[in-house]
Coordinates of all heavy atoms in Angstrom, one line a residue:
L251 N 6.5 16.0 -27.4 CA 6.3 16.5 -26.0 C 6.1 18.2 -26.4 O 6.7 18.7 -27.2 CB 7.5 16.3 -25.2 CG 7.6 14.9 -24.7 CD1 9.0 14.7 -24.1 CD2 6.5 14.5 -23.6
H252 N 5.3 18.8 -25.4 CA 5.0 20.2 -25.6 C 5.2 21.0 -24.3 O 5.0 20.4 -23.3 CB 3.6 20.3 -26.0 CG 3.2 19.6 -27.3 ND1 2.9 18.4 -27.4 CD2 3.2 20.0 -28.7 CE1 2.8 17.9 -28.7 NE2 2.9 19.1 -29.5
W253 N 5.7 22.2 -24.5 CA 6.1 23.0 -23.4 C 5.6 24.5 -23.8 O 5.5 24.9 -24.9 CB 7.5 23.1 -23.0 CG 8.0 21.9 -22.4 CD1 8.0 21.6 -21.0 CD2 8.9 20.9 -23.0 NE1 8.6 20.3 -21.0 CE2 9.3 20.0 -22.0 CE3 9.3 20.6 -24.3 CZ2 10.0 18.8 -22.2 CZ3 10.0 19.7 -24.6 CH2 10.4 18.6 -23.6
V254 N 5.4 25.3 -22.7 CA 5.4 26.7 -22.7 C 6.6 27.2 -22.4 O 7.2 27.0 -21.3 CB 4.0 27.3 -21.9 CG1 4.1 28.8 -22.0 CG2 2.8 26.8 -22.4
T255 N 7.2 28.2 -23.2 CA 8.5 28.6 -23.0 C 8.5 29.8 -22.1 O 7.4 30.4 -21.9 CB 9.2 28.9 -24.3 OG1 8.7 30.2 -24.8 CG2 9.1 27.7 -25.3
D256 N 9.8 30.4 -21.7 CA 9.8 31.6 -20.9 C 10.1 32.7 -21.8 O 10.2 33.8 -21.3 CB 11.0 31.4 -19.9 CG 12.4 31.3 -20.5 OD1 12.3 31.2 -21.8 OD2 13.3 31.4 -19.8
R257 N 10.0 32.6 -23.1 CA 10.1 33.7 -24.0 C 8.9 34.6 -24.0 O 7.8 34.0 -24.0 CB 10.5 33.1 -25.3 CG 11.9 32.4 -25.3 CD 12.1 31.8 -26.7 NE 13.3 31.1 -26.7 CZ 13.8 30.2 -27.6 NH1 13.2 30.2 -28.8 NH2 14.9 29.6 -27.3
E258 N 9.1 35.9 -24.2 CA 8.0 36.8 -24.1 C 7.1 36.9 -25.5 O 6.1 37.3 -25.4 CB 8.4 38.3 -23.6 CG 9.0 38.2 -22.2 CD 9.5 39.5 -21.7 OE1 9.4 40.6 -22.6 OE2 9.9 39.7 -20.7
G259 N 7.9 36.9 -26.5 CA 7.2 36.9 -27.8 C 6.3 35.9 -28.1 O 6.6 34.7 -27.7
A260 N 5.3 36.3 -28.8 CA 4.2 35.3 -29.1 C 4.6 34.1 -30.0 O 4.1 32.9 -29.7 CB 2.9 35.9 -29.7
P261 N 5.4 34.3 -31.1 CA 5.9 33.3 -31.8 C 6.7 32.3 -31.3 O 6.6 31.0 -31.7 CB 6.7 34.0 -33.0 CG 6.3 35.4 -33.0 CD 5.9 35.6 -31.5
D262 N 7.4 32.5 -30.1 CA 8.2 31.6 -29.4 C 7.4 31.1 -28.2 O 8.2 30.4 -27.4 CB 9.5 32.1 -29.0 CG 10.2 32.7 -30.3 OD1 10.2 32.2 -31.3 OD2 10.9 33.9 -30.1
L263 N 6.2 31.3 -28.0 CA 5.5 30.8 -26.8 C 5.4 29.4 -26.4 O 5.7 28.9 -25.4 CB 4.1 31.5 -26.7 CG 3.4 31.3 -25.5 CD1 4.0 32.0 -24.3 CD2 1.9 31.8 -25.7
I264 N 5.1 28.5 -27.6 CA 5.0 27.3 -27.4 C 6.0 26.5 -28.3 O 6.2 26.9 -29.5 CB 3.5 26.9 -27.8 CG1 2.5 27.7 -27.3 CG2 3.2 25.4 -27.7 CD1 1.0 27.5 -27.8
C265 N 6.5 25.4 -27.8 CA 7.6 24.6 -28.5 C 7.1 23.1 -28.3 O 6.5 22.7 -27.3 CB 8.9 24.9 -27.9 SG 9.4 24.0 -26.4
S266 N 7.5 22.4 -29.3 CA 7.4 20.9 -29.2 C 8.7 20.2 -29.5 O 9.5 20.8 -30.1 CB 6.3 20.4 -30.2 OG 6.8 20.6 -31.6
F267 N 8.8 19.1 -29.0 CA 10.0 18.2 -29.2 C 9.6 16.9 -29.8 O 8.8 16.0 -29.3 CB 10.7 17.9 -27.8 CG 12.0 17.1 -28.1 CD1 13.1 17.7 -28.6 CD2 12.1 15.7 -27.8 CE1 14.3 16.9 -28.8 CE2 13.2 14.9 -27.9 CZ 14.3 15.5 -28.4
N268 N 10.0 16.6 -31.1 CA 9.7 15.4 -31.9 C 10.6 14.2 -31.3 O 11.7 14.3 -31.5 CB 9.8 15.7 -33.3 CG 9.2 14.5 -34.1 OD1 9.7 13.3 -34.0 ND2 8.2 14.8 -34.9
L269 N 9.9 13.3 -30.8 CA 10.8 12.0 -30.1 C 11.4 11.2 -31.3 O 12.2 10.5 -31.0 CB 9.9 11.3 -29.4 CG 9.3 11.8 -28.0 CD1 8.5 11.0 -27.1 CD2 10.6 12.3 -27.1
E270 N 10.9 11.2 -32.5 CA 11.6 10.5 -33.6 C 12.7 11.2 -34.1 O 13.8 10.7 -34.1 CB 10.5 10.3 -34.7 CG 11.1 9.4 -35.8 CD 10.3 9.4 -37.0 OE1 9.0 9.7 -36.8 OE2 10.7 8.9 -38.1
T271 N 12.6 12.6 -34.5 CA 13.8 13.4 -35.1 C 14.6 13.9 -34.0 O 15.7 14.4 -34.4 CB 13.2 14.4 -35.9 OG1 12.3 15.3 -35.2 CG2 12.3 13.9 -37.1
E272 N 14.1 14.1 -32.8 CA 14.7 14.7 -31.6 C 15.2 16.2 -32.0 O 16.2 16.6 -31.7 CB 16.0 13.8 -31.2 CG 15.7 12.4 -30.7 CD 16.9 11.5 -30.1 OE1 17.9 12.3 -30.1 OE2 16.5 10.5 -29.5
K273 N 14.1 16.8 -32.4 CA 14.3 18.3 -32.7 C 13.2 19.0 -32.2 O 12.1 18.7 -32.1 CB 14.4 18.4 -34.3 CG 15.5 17.9 -35.0 CD 15.5 18.1 -36.6 CE 16.7 17.5 -37.1 NZ 16.7 17.9 -38.6
F274 N 13.6 20.3 -31.7 CA 12.5 21.2 -31.3 C 12.0 22.0 -32.4 O 12.8 22.3 -33.4 CB 13.2 22.1 -30.3 CG 13.5 21.6 -28.9 CD1 14.8 20.9 -28.7 CD2 12.5 21.5 -27.9 CE1 15.0 20.4 -27.5 CE2 12.8 20.9 -26.6 CZ 14.1 20.3 -26.4
Q275 N 10.8 22.4 -32.3 CA 10.2 23.3 -33.3 C 9.1 24.2 -32.6 O 8.6 23.8 -31.6 CB 9.6 22.7 -34.5 CG 8.5 21.6 -34.0 CD 8.0 20.9 -35.4 OE1 8.3 19.7 -35.3 NE2 7.3 21.6 -36.1
Q276 N 8.9 25.4 -33.1 CA 7.9 26.3 -32.7 C 6.5 25.9 -33.1 O 6.2 25.3 -34.1 CB 8.2 27.7 -33.1 CG 9.5 28.3 -32.7 CD 9.9 29.7 -33.2 OE1 9.2 30.1 -34.2 NE2 10.9 30.2 -32.7
V277 N 5.6 26.1 -32.2 CA 4.1 25.9 -32.5 C 3.4 27.2 -32.5 O 3.5 28.0 -31.4 CB 3.5 25.0 -31.4 CG1 2.0 24.8 -31.8 CG2 4.2 23.7 -31.4
P278 N 2.8 27.6 -33.6 CA 2.3 29.0 -33.6 C 1.0 29.1 -32.6 O 0.2 28.1 -32.5 CB 1.9 29.2 -35.0 CG 1.6 27.8 -35.6 CD 2.7 26.9 -34.8
P279 N 1.1 30.1 -31.8 CA 0.0 30.3 -30.9 C -1.4 30.8 -31.6 O -1.3 31.1 -32.9 CB 0.4 31.3 -29.9 CG 1.4 32.1 -30.7 CD 1.9 31.3 -31.8
P280 N -2.5 31.0 -30.9 CA -3.6 31.6 -31.5 C -3.3 33.0 -32.0 O -2.5 33.7 -31.5 CB -4.6 31.7 -30.3 CG -4.3 30.5 -29.4 CD -2.8 30.5 -29.6
S281 N -4.0 33.4 -33.1 CA -3.7 34.7 -33.9 C -3.9 36.0 -32.9 O -3.3 36.9 -33.2 CB -4.5 34.7 -35.1 OG -5.9 34.7 -34.8
H282 N -4.7 35.8 -31.9 CA -5.0 37.1 -31.1 C -3.9 37.2 -30.0 O -4.0 38.2 -29.3 CB -6.4 37.1 -30.5 CG -6.5 35.8 -29.5 ND1 -6.8 34.5 -30.0 CD2 -6.6 35.7 -28.2 CE1 -7.0 33.8 -29.0 NE2 -6.8 34.5 -27.9
F283 N -2.9 36.3 -30.0 CA -2.0 36.4 -28.9 C -0.7 37.4 -29.3 O 0.2 37.1 -29.6 CB -1.2 35.0 -28.7 CG -1.9 34.2 -27.7 CD1 -3.3 34.0 -27.8 CD2 -1.2 33.5 -26.7 CE1 -3.9 33.3 -26.7 CE2 -1.8 32.7 -25.8 CZ -3.1 32.6 -25.8
D284 N -1.2 38.7 -29.1 CA -0.1 39.8 -29.4 C 0.5 40.3 -28.1 O 0.0 39.6 -27.0 CB -0.7 41.0 -30.0 CG -1.9 41.5 -29.4 OD1 -2.1 41.3 -28.1 OD2 -2.7 42.1 -30.0
L285 N 1.3 41.0 -27.9 CA 2.1 41.5 -26.7 C 1.1 42.0 -25.7 O 1.1 41.7 -24.5 CB 3.1 42.4 -26.9 CG 4.3 41.9 -27.6 CD1 5.5 42.9 -27.9 CD2 5.0 40.7 -26.8
D286 N 0.1 42.8 -26.1 CA -0.9 43.4 -25.3 C -1.8 42.3 -24.5 O -2.0 42.4 -23.4 CB -1.6 44.4 -26.1 CG -2.8 45.1 -25.2 OD1 -2.4 45.7 -24.3 OD2 -4.0 44.9 -25.4
Y287 N -2.2 41.5 -25.5 CA -3.0 40.3 -25.0 C -2.3 39.4 -24.0 O -2.9 39.0 -22.8 CB -3.5 39.5 -26.1 CG -4.7 38.6 -25.7 CD1 -5.9 38.9 -25.7 CD2 -4.3 37.2 -25.2 CE1 -7.1 38.0 -25.4 CE2 -5.4 36.2 -24.9 CZ -6.8 36.7 -25.0 OH -7.8 35.9 -24.7
L288 N -1.1 39.1 -24.3 CA -0.2 38.3 -23.5 C 0.0 38.9 -22.1 O 0.2 38.2 -21.0 CB 1.2 38.0 -24.1 CG 1.1 37.0 -25.1 CD1 2.5 36.8 -26.0 CD2 0.6 35.6 -24.8
S289 N 0.0 40.3 -22.0 CA 0.3 41.0 -20.8 C -0.7 40.7 -19.8 O -0.7 41.1 -18.5 CB 0.6 42.4 -20.9 OG -0.7 43.0 -21.5
K290 N -2.0 40.4 -20.2 CA -3.3 40.3 -19.4 C -3.5 38.7 -19.0 O -4.4 38.5 -18.3 CB -4.3 40.8 -20.1 CG -4.3 42.2 -20.5 CD -5.6 42.7 -21.3 CE -5.5 44.0 -21.7 NZ -6.6 44.6 -22.6
I291 N -2.4 37.8 -19.4 CA -2.6 36.4 -19.1 C -1.7 36.2 -17.8 O -0.5 36.5 -17.8 CB -2.0 35.6 -20.1 CG1 -3.1 35.7 -21.3 CG2 -1.9 34.2 -19.8 CD1 -2.7 35.0 -22.5
S292 N -2.2 35.9 -16.7 CA -1.4 35.6 -15.5 C -1.0 34.1 -15.3 O 0.0 33.9 -14.6 CB -2.5 35.9 -14.3 OG -3.6 35.1 -14.3
W293 N -1.4 33.3 -16.1 CA -1.1 31.9 -16.1 C -1.4 31.2 -17.3 O -2.4 31.5 -17.8 CB -1.8 31.2 -14.8 CG -1.5 29.6 -14.8 CD1 -0.5 29.0 -14.3 CD2 -2.3 28.7 -15.4 NE1 -0.5 27.7 -14.4 CE2 -1.7 27.4 -15.2 CE3 -3.5 28.8 -16.2 CZ2 -2.3 26.2 -15.7 CZ3 -4.0 27.6 -16.8 CH2 -3.4 26.4 -16.6
I294 N -0.5 30.3 -17.9 CA -0.8 29.6 -19.0 C -0.2 28.2 -19.1 O 0.8 28.0 -18.4 CB -0.2 30.5 -20.4 CG1 -0.7 29.8 -21.6 CG2 1.2 30.5 -20.3 CD1 -0.3 30.8 -22.7
N295 N -0.7 27.3 -19.7 CA -0.3 25.8 -19.8 C -0.8 25.2 -21.0 O -1.8 25.7 -21.7 CB -0.7 25.2 -18.5 CG 0.2 24.1 -18.1 OD1 0.8 23.6 -18.9 ND2 0.1 23.6 -16.8
V296 N 0.0 24.2 -21.4 CA -0.4 23.3 -22.5 C -0.6 22.0 -22.3 O 0.0 21.4 -21.3 CB 0.7 23.6 -23.7 CG1 2.1 23.0 -23.2 CG2 0.4 23.1 -25.0
G297 N -1.5 21.3 -23.0 CA -1.8 19.9 -22.8 C -2.5 19.3 -24.0 O -2.3 19.9 -25.2
S298 N -3.4 18.4 -23.8 CA -4.1 17.7 -24.9 C -5.5 17.5 -24.5 O -5.9 17.4 -23.4 CB -3.4 16.3 -25.2 OG -3.5 15.5 -24.2
L299 N -6.3 17.6 -25.5 CA -7.8 17.5 -25.5 C -8.4 16.7 -26.7 O -8.2 17.4 -27.7 CB -8.4 18.8 -25.1 CG -9.9 18.9 -24.8 CD1 -10.1 20.3 -23.9 CD2 -10.8 18.8 -25.8
R300 N -9.0 15.6 -26.4 CA -9.7 14.8 -27.4 C -8.6 14.7 -28.6 O -8.9 14.7 -29.8 CB -10.9 15.5 -28.0 CG -11.9 15.5 -27.0 CD -13.3 16.0 -27.7 NE -14.4 16.3 -26.7 CZ -14.8 17.4 -26.3 NH1 -14.1 18.4 -26.8 NH2 -15.7 17.6 -25.4
G301 N -7.4 14.3 -28.3 CA -6.3 14.0 -29.4 C -5.8 15.3 -30.1 O -5.2 15.2 -31.0
C302 N -6.0 16.6 -29.6 CA -5.6 17.7 -30.1 C -4.8 18.5 -29.1 O -5.1 18.5 -27.8 CB -6.8 18.6 -30.7 SG -7.6 17.8 -32.0
L303 N -3.9 19.3 -29.6 CA -3.2 20.1 -28.6 C -4.0 21.2 -28.1 O -4.9 21.9 -28.9 CB -2.0 20.9 -29.4 CG -1.0 21.7 -28.6 CD1 -0.2 20.9 -27.6 CD2 -0.1 22.4 -29.6
C304 N -4.0 21.6 -26.8 CA -4.9 22.5 -26.3 C -3.9 23.6 -25.4 O -3.0 23.2 -24.9 CB -6.0 22.0 -25.4 SG -5.6 21.3 -23.7

Side-chain angles (χ1 to χ4, degrees):
L251 294 165
H252 299 82
W253 287 281
V254 174
T255 71
D256 65 350
R257 298 173 182 175
E258 297 182 357
D262 303 323
L263 181 65
I264 310 171
C265 75
S266 68
F267 182 79
N268 188 298
L269 293 176
E270 179 185 352
T271 62
E272 296 189 354
K273 292 182 178 180
F274 287 94
Q275 62 182 106
Q276 297 176 352
V277 178
S281 58
H282 62 281
F283 269 46
D284 55 25
L285 290 178
D286 180 63
Y287 191 88
L288 287 173
S289 66
K290 299 177 182 178
I291 294 178
S292 59
W293 171 90
I294 189 169
N295 208 334
V296 66
S298 61
L299 192 157
R300 297 193 186 98
C302 299
L303 184 66
C304 77

